[in-house]
Amino acid sequence: THPELRRITVVHGYEVDIAPGDKSIGVAFASSSSTSHMQQVSRGTFKEVHNQLITRIVTPTGTGCQVNGKSDWPQAEARFGITGTLQEWLACAGVTLDTDPNTVLPDPTFPKHLRTT
């Protein structure tokens, strides 16, 4: 069996502070791929805002990268997560299971490759 062909589902969310460090404004937005609305928080008051979150999968250089045939995932299609093979997700990161992890993040405790079996 090939571990690269195992399927992985990613469910994610985000939170954005649109005025970091400026307590007088205090506005933030938060949402996730599993909900059709966004929460806006302004000076401690929560407000639900309907939006259309689109998840874009990109490489480390910012180029669109396809997982399960798409790089852009509307919220309606990603609400239960985005599923793709481990190989697809790793390719989007620019690595394989045979990549030396020290080329990504040098650490003398890392093994010579990501593959463990």
Side-chain angles (χ1 to χ4, degrees):
T1 65
H2 300 281
E4 295 95 333
L5 301 180
R6 297 202 99 172
R7 299 185 67 71
I8 294 176
T9 300
V10 174
V11 178
H12 68 284
Y14 72 92
E15 183 173 317
V16 178
D17 182 351
I18 64 168
D22 187 348
K23 300 294 184 201
S24 65
I25 296 175
V27 177
F29 297 95
S31 189
S32 76
S33 59
S34 62
T35 182
S36 63
H37 65 275
M38 168 179 61
Q39 288 196 345
Q40 177 181 343
V41 184
S42 179
R43 295 186 181 94
T45 303
F46 287 83
K47 177 181 174 186
E48 194 171 285
V49 179
H50 290 278
N51 69 338
Q52 184 54 255
L53 173 69
I54 295 180
T55 299
R56 175 166 289 151
I57 303 169
V58 297
T59 66
T61 61
T63 305
C65 188
Q66 291 190 358
V67 170
N68 203 11
K70 294 193 278 191
S71 58
D72 289 350
W73 288 81
Q75 183 280 326
E77 295 176 28
R79 70 182 176 271
F80 299 116
I82 299 171
T83 301
T85 64
L86 177 59
Q87 185 174 28
E88 290 174 309
W89 287 108
L90 291 175
C92 288
V95 298
T96 70
L97 288 179
D98 297 314
T99 299
D100 179 348
N102 284 289
T103 63
V104 179
L105 180 67
D107 185 322
T109 65
F110 285 162
K112 294 294 179 202
H113 51 79
L114 298 172
R115 187 183 306 276
T116 58
T117 58

